[in-house]
Amino acid sequence: MPFWIKNRLALLVLLTALLFSPPGRGDSVLIYFYNPDANLGDVAKLKSSVQEYFQAIEPGATLKAFIRLQDLLAALKSQPPDFLVASSWVTKTYAGQYGLKPLLVGRVGAERSYTKILISKKAMPSSASPSLSTVGLGAQNLDVLKSLVPDLRKFSNLNVVEVSKDLDAVLAVSFDQVDLGLVRSENIEAIRKVNQVAVANLKTLGRSTPIEYPIFSATAKVQAPAMDKFVKGLQAQKDEKAAQAMELMGFQSWGLR
Amino acid sequence: MKRLVMTLLLASFFVPRPSPSSQSPSIALIITDRAAAYEMVADGIQEGFKGEAKIELYDMGDSRKNDEKIVLKIASQNPALVVALGDKAARLASEQLRSHPILIGMVLEMDVESFKLPGVEGVGLQIPAQSVLTQLRLLVPTIRRVGVISSADKFLSFRESIRASARSMGVQAVDVALTGKGEIEERLNRDLDALDAVWLLPDPRIVDSTTFQMIVEKTKAAKKPFVAYSENFVKAGALFSVSPDYNATGQQLVLLSKKMLSKDSVRPEQPYLSKFHYPIGSYSVLNLRTAEAIGLNLSQMQLGFVNRIVNGNNR
């Protein structure tokens, strides 16, 4: 075989090996984050703090945080990451489609899950398609909404107005702009302290099933050694910087899934 | 065979065409121009009606010159509903398309005669006073007196709703009503000490870059929160702003449109200007550097109530 063909073949083999090799020391690792329940006011701070947190395990880690689900889904298609930290319902809904392997779940204290409450100023609506305001789940995720909240399953349709924070969902119910709201009870209590009137007439009509805290998953392109490295590394980090990063993501520690 | 074809063709002229509302309804969506906010809301409306309605989009190009052309096109479309975004689109629709039900959105000045006519419904841009005050008090719970800056003859109804909302929350809203820009400095010098915060309403008659900077400097020096109505003002030094969430606005307009198409009542239970809906949702921005400058030490939980945090001047 001529020399110049042999060398080109060798180069091709090397390039192919590099392309399909798992992330290693100093390799770039792409991590996506999405948790609408995390109150992502300071995205810049979250990105720098959480990116640094992952870089302590893999120096080449890059974090992208998403505010909107549709942007995350578009990115998962166009530029699949290596790892994903996302709301549990996102992970469960899209695990099959994107080959996600859940590895760790967030915890707050000993709790692996939280619930949301269904609120209204009136009794459960009699309309077949009431309006509802909530964070993170829009009209395109009605099935997920109904699976999370059993009391919503009786409605053939839901007119969802997705808002960016629980406060807006609470006020939308309080101002009679929507029939129902789905929010975290601690946010209602925070509002009660500064505006008793806004929450005075709210009733709890139901409760969601337990919603796991965000899940850390690997995508299909990540090999076992890299998964192992991150699982061990994330569980081992317990300093103040790690605590801050996890708080920004919406939990306090990791547990095995 | 030829006779059969001719007969069928002739018969087709006598078959009544289905009205737009009996199949997928047709909606005329007029936007004032292609500004990002209008596009975002228009996209939300189109997304919300995907597969359920046929939406034709009309762009006014920020001009009333093409009114006649647009009106003629809409007449031939014969929509079941007209949705108009922005002041110019809302005026065009309410003045010249009154044979159709009309839903207007993203209009700051709602106190317009043609908007009050029957058949016209709307969602304003003004965030409810209770929402702004609640969000401000989540950051600064000790606030008891808020100075509200605007022209003396503007926002009369909204300023009344601010006073009422504030009262219900145990807060006093004090009108800092001005006749011109020249008065701002004197009024702040006189009143700022007795106020816990200052809230500037969207009134270009009394605010320009000079008066704005003066308000920023005086409130920072007095360590008083300064609430504005736009992210750009927060980037330029105000503490906090609350403005519409355009994603939610689009969904709200879809909700109201569906009700109007079904001939359901859309009367708001807590209307603005006796008729219009307040927007659902809000988008809040905080300047962390200004917060530090006025001595606010905000917890992670408090920061969690804000949509976006900026960290300095124009950043």
Side-chain angles (χ1 to χ4, degrees):
Chain A
M1 191 183 286
F3 174 77
W4 62 272
I5 291 179
K6 252 200 275 189
N7 261 359
R8 282 189 187 200
L9 269 175
L11 190 60
L12 186 63
V13 167
L14 182 63
L15 282 172
T16 309
L18 280 172
L19 191 66
F20 290 103
S21 68
R25 181 167 288 279
D27 285 348
S28 67
V29 169
L30 185 57
I31 303 170
Y32 287 167
F33 174 79
Y34 174 75
N35 180 16
D37 287 335
N39 293 331
L40 283 180
D42 198 342
V43 175
K45 182 177 177 185
L46 177 134
K47 184 177 155 60
S48 75
S49 172
V50 177
Q51 185 164 279
E52 209 179 296
Y53 168 68
F54 283 113
Q55 283 172 343
I57 301 164
E58 177 53 67
T62 305
L63 182 89
K64 267 191 184 169
F66 295 87
I67 308 278
R68 300 194 320 154
L69 177 63
Q70 49 264 56
D71 295 336
L72 169 72
L73 295 178
L76 283 171
K77 252 192 219 154
S78 63
Q79 193 183 9
D82 298 285
F83 297 98
L84 173 69
V85 180
S87 304
S88 54
W89 57 265
V90 168
T91 309
K92 288 170 191 173
T93 306
Y94 297 102
Q97 196 172 340
Y98 297 104
L100 302 175
K101 185 177 164 53
L103 300 170
L104 296 168
V105 60
R107 273 198 198 137
V108 171
E111 300 298 327
R112 293 164 62 106
S113 63
Y114 59 97
T115 57
K116 291 196 177 191
I117 56 172
L118 192 64
I119 56 171
S120 178
K121 279 169 77 171
K122 303 165 193 164
M124 193 64 86
S126 53
S127 152
S129 48
S131 52
L132 176 143
S133 187
T134 190
V135 168
L137 282 160
Q140 69 278 18
N141 292 107
L142 286 187
D143 289 342
V144 175
L145 206 45
K146 288 183 181 184
S147 75
L148 286 177
V149 189
D151 295 287
L152 295 177
R153 291 172 198 167
K154 62 161 144 294
F155 300 113
S156 56
N157 192 24
L158 283 164
N159 289 301
V160 182
V161 179
E162 187 185 337
V163 291
S164 60
K165 44 198 187 296
D166 269 4
L167 164 78
D168 294 319
V170 170
L171 293 179
V173 174
S174 181
F175 298 155
D176 302 298
Q177 292 171 308
V178 293
D179 298 306
L180 302 162
L182 185 66
V183 299
R184 293 181 73 166
S185 58
E186 53 264 40
N187 287 329
I188 295 185
E189 292 318 305
I191 296 167
R192 192 188 303 281
K193 285 181 184 159
V194 301
N195 186 353
Q196 166 74 21
V197 169
V199 301
N201 295 324
L202 298 182
K203 303 183 209 314
T204 300
L205 299 184
R207 193 170 283 274
S208 71
T209 54
I211 303 168
E212 279 186 294
Y213 283 102
I215 293 174
F216 175 75
S217 308
T219 64
K221 59 179 177 161
V222 179
Q223 305 294 317
M227 281 191 229
D228 217 42
K229 182 178 176 182
F230 270 87
V231 167
K232 289 194 171 115
L234 289 174
Q235 289 186 291
Q237 288 196 74
K238 291 187 190 330
D239 60 14
E240 206 178 302
K241 279 188 179 178
Q244 184 186 71
M246 286 187 278
E247 192 187 353
L248 287 168
M249 288 192 281
F251 48 90
Q252 294 171 347
S253 65
W254 289 111
L256 283 172
R257 186 120 196 309
Chain B
M1 183 64 178
K2 210 174 171 180
R3 203 179 281 178
L4 177 63
V5 169
M6 290 302 293
T7 310
L8 284 171
L9 265 171
L10 199 62
S12 72
F13 281 105
F14 296 98
V15 172
R17 287 177 197 281
S19 67
S21 55
S22 68
Q23 297 179 337
S24 287
S26 172
I27 297 175
L29 175 54
I30 313 173
I31 57 174
T32 294
D33 60 43
R34 290 277 181 185
Y38 296 136
E39 293 258 15
M40 201 185 297
V41 175
D43 286 347
I45 293 171
Q46 288 174 318
E47 181 63 36
F49 272 110
K50 210 191 266 190
E52 293 179 44
K54 188 169 177 296
I55 299 183
E56 294 287 344
L57 182 69
Y58 301 90
D59 173 16
M60 293 180 70
D62 198 24
S63 165
R64 304 278 322 244
K65 284 187 200 160
N66 297 315
D67 278 14
E68 205 180 312
K69 214 189 318 183
I70 291 174
V71 168
L72 280 171
K73 280 188 183 170
I74 290 176
S76 72
Q77 182 193 347
N78 190 25
L81 176 69
V82 173
V83 180
L85 304 180
D87 288 79
K88 287 192 172 81
R91 283 180 196 249
L92 165 62
S94 60
E95 287 164 10
Q96 301 189 46
L97 294 166
R98 286 212 301 269
S99 59
H100 308 277
I102 295 167
L103 179 61
I104 61 178
M106 306 182 73
V107 176
L108 191 56
E109 184 51 77
M110 301 292 279
D111 205 355
V112 170
E113 285 314 304
S114 61
F115 297 169
K116 296 174 188 172
L117 296 167
V120 179
E121 305 295 338
V123 178
L125 273 176
Q126 189 60 62
I127 302 295
Q130 218 186 118
S131 174
V132 178
L133 291 168
T134 302
Q135 296 190 60
L136 178 60
R137 289 192 87 208
L138 282 167
L139 296 174
V140 194
T142 53
I143 282 177
R144 291 286 179 267
R145 280 172 60 93
V146 177
V148 181
I149 302 178
S150 75
S151 300
D153 59 345
K154 277 197 91 170
F155 299 112
L156 298 173
S157 177
F158 186 59
R159 283 194 273 132
E160 175 49 44
S161 83
I162 294 175
R163 288 192 290 273
S165 297
R167 253 191 321 269
S168 74
M169 292 168 63
V171 172
Q172 187 183 4
V174 176
D175 268 336
V176 182
L178 311 167
T179 53
K181 293 177 200 180
E183 279 186 54
I184 295 184
E185 187 165 11
E186 185 202 323
R187 288 295 298 274
L188 287 179
N189 286 342
R190 193 185 80 189
D191 297 341
L192 199 50
D193 278 349
L195 299 172
D196 299 318
V198 159
W199 177 2
L200 175 68
L201 298 186
D203 191 345
R205 274 197 303 184
I206 58 159
V207 173
D208 58 22
S209 56
T210 309
T211 52
F212 174 78
Q213 275 312 313
M214 187 266 298
I215 299 173
V216 167
E217 280 154 22
K218 285 197 179 291
T219 51
K220 267 192 194 167
K223 301 209 183 297
K224 308 282 168 121
F226 170 21
V227 182
Y229 52 89
S230 134
E231 181 172 352
N232 287 336
F233 287 172
V234 175
K235 287 177 182 170
L239 170 73
F240 185 61
S241 69
V242 185
S243 54
D245 173 349
Y246 295 120
N247 284 315
T249 298
Q251 295 167 66
Q252 183 180 9
L253 288 168
V254 168
L255 179 64
L256 292 170
S257 297
K258 286 183 179 177
K259 283 187 176 179
M260 288 174 77
L261 289 168
S262 313
K263 311 269 192 269
D264 284 347
S265 165
V266 292
R267 181 158 175 74
E269 292 197 37
Q270 298 192 38
Y272 170 55
L273 286 176
S274 305
K275 178 177 179 176
F276 301 111
H277 302 255
Y278 282 104
I280 293 176
S282 64
Y283 178 76
S284 59
V285 184
L286 175 89
N287 187 320
L288 205 54
R289 194 164 290 181
T290 301
E292 286 162 6
I294 65 171
L296 284 185
N297 188 12
L298 298 168
S299 67
Q300 197 54 47
M301 184 176 187
Q302 284 174 302
L303 294 176
F305 287 116
V306 179
N307 288 100
R308 183 166 184 223
I309 292 169
V310 297
N311 282 306
N313 289 334
N314 281 312
R315 278 169 48 211

